[in-house]
Amino acid sequence: MSVEGMVGLSEGEKEFIKGGIAQDLRSDGRKRHTYRPIYVETGVIPQANGSARVRLGATDVIASVKGELGKPSSLQPDKGKVAIFVDCSPTAAPMFEGRGGEDLSAELSGALQRCLLGSKSGAGAGIDLSSLVVVEGKVCWDLYIDGLVVSADGNVLDALGAAIKAALSNTGIPRVNVAAGAANDDQPEVDISDEEFLQFDTSGVPVIVTLTKVGKHYIVDATSEEESQMSSAVSISINRQGHICGMTKRGGLGLDPSVILDMVSVANFVSRQLFDKLDSEISAAEADEDES
Amino acid sequence: MAAKPGAASTTYSPIDPTNKTRPSIFTGSDVDWLRPDSRAFQQCRPAFFRTGAVNSAAGSAYAEFGNTKVIVSVFGPRESKKAMMYSDIGRLNCNVSYTTFAAPVRGQGSDHKEFSSMLHKALEGVIIVETFPKTTVDVFALVLESGGSDLPVVVSCASLALADAGIMMYDLVASVSVSCLGKNLLIDPVLEEESYQDGSLMIACMPSRYEVTQLTVTGEWSTSKFNEAMQLCLDASAKLGEIMRSCLKEAASATQE
């Protein structure tokens, strides 16, 4: 869903956008499968366990990860819990004030949960939930991942996916010392260390690629003007092995199944470049953070 | 619940696209999964549809797939208080709710908060909104009993209700979901299979136009498995589309008599 109604385009501008995409030359000079320059900063929220800010052109999002000790669910006692919430700030668009941004927030949260947390049995989860457990069945880490959309210029979902990946690689889970000799039924005493931190393993976290179909062609990383001209969009989350970890069609007109399969192969191709770019940006950001 | 005698067959199974026997390779903890209702892996539940379930609505439909029972009413095109702006195309408003007794544990519905927006996305590409400008069509779905594969049943039932209401559409929408358990692909999963699944794929498509209006994938899928699952779903949707069409024809011929 794009922030429609904000972008007033004349008929000429609409034709220009569609024609440019058909000729593989978009309004800002990019090709169809090129991303805008990505800037990643980590550690922007010192009070959180991990945080990151990602800028994708004019789209600006912040992701923060906070962990609290909690009790694992009875259905899965050997796994921690992760909750993902997205908030669209009114600074991005005036219509997000109050409850206006709720629909978009719910859609983004749902798409991110599907891509990063996998199915109910935990298979295909990008985040290894069993690394979050402290005492099986009794104490585990509850991770709250919050995304904030500060400025929206299209492709918010991809930016949020990248921000969450960066925030998770920045996350340090404090070491927990469990008091030995606790009775079986009682909650064991835990001591959260302030000094030692365990880095989160983000090698399995997938990256999200949104392909927007305009006319007969698909583009990657659409700006909000291009999104207003879309006929439909599909967001695909792909991990390093090239497997699909989640996929959502984001509304619009119907798509031929062969188009969907083609989109998957394009997303596969684009995701490899995106992985490399993101990894280099994240390590550069962490290096910057260490120096400052 | 059986269909009337002489009606078209209500059970449908898609053609297995791989066309070879599936090797029974299971990882250590998996056992040979026997489906609770002893269906084959590629066999869908018998589908029962009835339109005209709610008299006061412009159109309505009731669907029963095994233990999943859904009723959908359509109101409109009518004026909407929510729509403040003038719009020269119609608006669609969808709402999916669960009764408190729908789930095995009272009050504990599945994560159906996003079902309303997913139903909206599945239908928005099919309804010809230019035919009812300035007005809104409301689609209210109520899941009476949740027996697995809820959203696909809701989508199929909603498109029948819209047809019953006379809202112009490009085609009916048939929806099917596939669950992945280990190496097996199970079509039209029940609640128990959904809780053990490693991944799921839900497709809503227009059978005659062969276009997909909504697609959601969870879990990890390789491209070939995804391809196979998608073909399975499309084939099943085509057959489900025929059953929906015959239900509409029956209802139309019944009113003519």
Side-chain angles (χ1 to χ4, degrees):
Chain A
M1 182 185 144
S2 57
V3 282
E4 301 143 6
M6 269 178 48
V7 189
L9 290 176
S10 68
E11 287 305 316
E13 285 173 306
K14 291 179 194 171
E15 282 307 312
F16 188 75
I17 292 175
K18 286 191 244 189
I21 289 171
Q23 300 201 18
D24 205 13
L25 181 65
R26 292 152 74 172
S27 311
D28 48 9
R30 283 184 288 157
K31 294 202 162 297
R32 286 197 283 261
H33 298 158
T34 314
Y35 266 86
R36 284 171 285 188
I38 306 176
Y39 295 108
V40 177
E41 285 167 56
T42 53
V44 292
I45 301 180
Q47 289 166 330
N49 291 80
S51 58
R53 176 185 179 198
V54 167
R55 263 171 298 158
L56 199 59
T59 300
D60 197 347
V61 301
I62 296 180
S64 85
V65 178
K66 282 199 78 90
E68 286 172 6
L69 282 178
K71 200 160 183 290
S73 87
S74 43
L75 297 166
Q76 291 182 326
D78 60 340
K79 294 194 155 79
K81 290 180 279 178
V82 177
I84 303 183
F85 296 109
V86 174
D87 183 30
C88 295
S89 149
T91 58
M95 69 179 217
F96 289 155
E97 194 194 334
R99 300 193 62 180
E102 228 175 74
D103 287 337
L104 182 58
S105 306
E107 186 195 330
L108 290 171
S109 310
L112 286 166
Q113 280 185 338
R114 192 173 302 120
C115 294
L116 295 170
L117 297 178
S119 59
K120 281 185 216 165
S121 73
I127 305 170
D128 182 19
L129 293 176
S130 41
S131 65
L132 290 174
V133 79
V134 177
V135 176
E136 190 168 322
K138 294 200 194 130
V139 183
C140 74
W141 281 105
D142 284 341
L143 280 189
Y144 295 99
I145 304 181
D146 290 294
L148 176 69
V149 178
V150 175
S151 163
D153 186 27
N155 211 21
V156 178
L157 186 61
D158 291 12
L160 278 168
I164 291 180
K165 190 172 162 65
L168 283 172
S169 64
N170 180 243
T171 301
I173 307 282
R175 193 185 287 280
V176 183
N177 299 317
V178 186
N184 269 344
D185 287 338
D186 297 341
Q187 280 290 103
E189 296 232 338
V190 288
D191 173 40
I192 304 177
S193 151
D194 280 334
E195 300 296 320
E196 296 164 4
F197 287 89
L198 301 163
Q199 286 300 116
F200 213 75
D201 173 27
T202 53
S203 54
V205 178
V207 89
I208 305 178
V209 175
T210 301
L211 285 161
T212 310
K213 185 160 191 274
V214 178
K216 287 196 209 140
H217 304 272
Y218 351 111
I219 53 175
V220 147
D221 194 16
T223 60
S224 52
E225 282 179 354
E226 291 167 336
E227 274 183 358
S228 67
Q229 297 311 304
M230 74 172 188
S231 57
S232 58
V234 178
S235 295
I236 307 173
S237 139
I238 301 195
N239 66 7
R240 277 215 173 263
Q241 283 81 36
H243 291 175
I244 302 171
C245 293
M247 191 154 134
T248 337
K249 181 172 176 296
R250 314 269 299 281
L253 302 176
L255 279 179
D256 198 271
S258 57
V259 166
I260 295 182
L261 290 172
D262 196 32
M263 279 185 168
V264 171
S265 58
V266 169
N268 231 319
F269 174 69
V270 173
S271 69
R272 277 178 232 141
Q273 298 164 351
L274 185 59
F275 262 118
D276 296 332
K277 186 81 186 8
L278 263 184
D279 284 340
S280 66
E281 282 292 316
I282 291 174
S283 31
E286 306 247 281
D288 281 340
E289 195 196 337
D290 287 337
E291 278 166 30
S292 62
Chain B
M1 298 190 57
K4 284 200 296 227
S9 151
T10 51
T11 314
Y12 56 101
S13 325
I15 308 162
D16 185 347
T18 54
N19 234 10
K20 55 182 190 274
T21 52
R22 198 170 294 280
S24 52
I25 307 164
F26 298 96
T27 55
S29 55
D30 288 336
V31 288
D32 206 341
W33 180 265
L34 265 174
R35 304 192 76 170
D37 43 3
S38 46
R39 284 183 277 150
F41 285 166
Q42 320 274 320
Q43 193 183 354
C44 303
R45 290 175 289 191
F48 172 77
F49 288 108
R50 193 58 92 222
T51 55
V54 175
N55 284 333
S56 57
S60 58
Y62 170 74
E64 203 174 292
F65 280 52
N67 279 338
T68 304
K69 302 176 175 71
V70 172
I71 190 165
V72 178
S73 343
V74 170
F75 294 92
R78 62 180 185 178
E79 185 198 350
S80 163
K81 306 285 184 303
K82 268 199 264 182
M84 291 290 116
M85 283 179 359
Y86 169 83
S87 158
D88 55 3
I89 54 171
R91 285 178 63 245
L92 175 67
N93 174 36
C94 294
N95 189 277
V96 178
S97 54
Y98 274 59
T99 55
T100 44
F101 44 84
V105 176
R106 183 200 176 270
Q108 192 188 81
S110 57
D111 40 3
H112 59 269
K113 292 182 205 83
E114 44 169 17
F115 280 7
S116 303
S117 74
M118 293 177 98
L119 176 62
H120 186 282
K121 295 220 183 76
L123 295 175
E124 69 179 354
V126 189
I127 299 179
I128 307 179
V129 286
E130 290 83 11
T131 53
F132 50 95
K134 303 183 274 188
T135 50
T136 302
V137 165
D138 292 313
V139 178
F140 297 121
L142 181 64
V143 179
L144 297 165
E145 191 182 336
S146 156
S149 208
D150 300 336
L151 185 60
V153 177
V154 166
V155 171
S156 311
C157 191
S159 83
L160 260 188
L162 283 164
D164 187 47
I167 309 284
M168 291 201 71
M169 298 189 286
Y170 291 112
D171 192 5
L172 288 174
V173 182
S175 176
V176 174
S177 73
V178 153
S179 254
C180 170
L181 257 79
K183 295 233 165 29
N184 303 316
L185 287 175
L186 274 65
I187 201 161
D188 205 11
V190 288
L191 209 53
E192 197 189 333
E193 290 161 351
E194 276 184 346
S195 61
Y196 290 128
Q197 70 188 4
D198 292 329
S200 79
L201 166 79
M202 186 213 93
I203 280 191
C205 80
M206 295 192 253
S208 321
R209 290 176 63 120
Y210 199 59
E211 272 178 18
V212 171
T213 58
Q214 174 65 309
L215 167 67
T216 14
V217 174
T218 54
E220 196 172 335
W221 296 76
S222 65
T223 318
S224 56
K225 202 149 95 166
F226 171 72
N227 203 351
E228 198 189 319
M230 204 163 85
Q231 289 309 315
L232 219 59
C233 281
L234 288 169
D235 199 42
S237 306
K239 302 201 163 116
L240 181 56
E242 280 164 27
I243 296 178
M244 287 162 70
R245 225 171 277 280
S246 61
C247 162
L248 282 175
K249 278 191 222 163
E250 266 177 52
S253 54
T255 50
Q256 271 175 3
E257 284 159 18

